Amino acid sequence: TITKGEYGQGDWLPVLTGACAYVVMRKDNKPLPLFEVTDMVGCDIFELGRMVNQVVDFLELKLPEFNIMNSFEWVVKTCFDENLKEKEKIERILKQGIFLMQCLVKWYLTTGRRPISIIAAVLVFVAQLNEVDVRLEDMAKELHVAVGTCELRYKELLNNLVKVAQALPWGKDITVENIMKNARFVIQYMELKSMSKHGEKRKRLEHVGF
């Protein structure tokens, strides 16, 4: 029924198989990005997406909400584990990236957006922050998303970090051009602010180690 009477004919079977695999993983709250499935079954992401919708509708399933944190962690480990031997650096990239993702969710910058583009932007930012040479164009190609969209999300990330940085003693001097040099301090400030909001003992800025 899902394949409209063409089961076993043409390219239906691998696309259907990929769609079923994706649905099963989503039901189990495990990350399996659509672009990963398209690479395996040899179709484009729109064709696979349509098939996923057909499977979900036909079986009357309700998939859990897309977990952007799990997907970010999956992308980090997939992209860096083989190429980056420094385990501590990977963990730092993962920790900083997940924290930034949580901030973006809180700021509603993920609402109604393509999540993979946001993941690419954050990943490139924290990778460069940790002196790992990753280009936005390469990451966009790796994750099968438009470079232009990734660039927009990257600029949004920088602009919001600059806004947050204004609270620092030297915040007025921080711009989009030099935010990378100040990013560690800004993230540290954001973490302290986040902890204080969760009922932990407040800490003064000078205790951060600036």
Side-chain angles (χ1 to χ4, degrees):
T1 302
I2 291 174
T3 61
K4 301 173 184 175
E6 297 180 13
Y7 182 82
Q9 300 177 34
D11 297 326
W12 277 104
L13 191 57
V15 180
L16 175 61
T17 303
C20 291
Y22 176 81
V23 169
V24 169
M25 293 291 276
R26 276 288 298 276
K27 287 286 288 181
D28 205 22
N29 279 312
K30 294 178 180 175
L32 178 64
L34 281 174
F35 66 82
E36 180 76 3
V37 181
T38 59
D39 280 350
M40 297 298 292
V41 302
C43 68
D44 66 48
I45 201 163
F46 300 104
E47 184 180 6
L48 181 64
R50 285 194 295 269
M51 183 63 80
V52 168
N53 287 334
Q54 289 181 42
V55 171
V56 170
D57 291 343
F58 179 72
L59 297 176
E60 298 181 348
L61 299 175
K62 185 172 177 59
L63 298 183
E65 192 173 330
F66 180 81
N67 192 316
I68 198 168
M69 305 302 169
N70 285 349
S71 295
F72 180 84
E73 184 174 353
W74 183 91
V75 171
V76 169
K77 292 183 176 180
T78 301
C79 292
F80 288 149
D81 269 4
E82 294 181 0
N83 302 322
L84 199 61
K85 303 302 180 183
E86 300 176 53
K87 188 175 180 181
E88 287 185 11
K89 189 170 283 191
I90 296 176
E91 290 300 321
R92 193 160 58 246
I93 288 172
L94 190 57
K95 180 183 175 184
Q96 291 172 340
I98 287 178
F99 178 71
L100 285 179
M101 293 296 300
Q102 289 170 338
C103 292
L104 292 176
V105 171
K106 182 181 176 183
W107 297 336
Y108 300 105
L109 290 177
T110 60
T111 306
R113 306 291 181 85
R114 294 182 182 273
I116 303 301
S117 301
I118 296 171
I119 288 172
V122 172
L123 182 51
V124 169
F125 182 83
V126 292
Q128 292 176 348
L129 181 61
N130 288 280
E131 299 178 344
V132 177
D133 186 23
V134 178
R135 297 174 65 234
L136 197 60
E137 296 84 354
D138 296 335
M139 188 56 63
K141 184 178 180 181
E142 181 77 19
L143 301 182
H144 299 264
V145 287
V147 176
T149 308
C150 292
E151 289 174 343
L152 287 174
R153 301 293 86 84
Y154 189 81
K155 288 177 182 176
E156 286 179 346
L157 173 61
L158 297 186
N159 287 329
N160 277 273
L161 289 176
V162 170
K163 287 180 184 177
V164 172
Q166 302 308 302
L168 296 175
W170 64 94
K172 65 181 186 301
D173 299 322
I174 298 178
T175 64
V176 170
E177 285 70 31
N178 64 21
I179 184 62
M180 186 64 74
K181 294 180 180 178
N182 294 276
R184 292 184 187 278
F185 302 121
V186 177
I187 292 174
Q188 206 168 9
Y189 163 67
M190 289 162 62
E191 287 174 337
L192 283 173
K193 193 174 179 182
S194 175
M195 286 190 294
S196 69
K197 285 183 178 178
H198 283 84
E200 293 193 13
K201 187 178 179 181
R202 278 193 164 290
K203 298 181 181 180
R204 292 168 61 84
L205 268 181
E206 50 264 35
H207 293 166
V208 183
F210 288 141

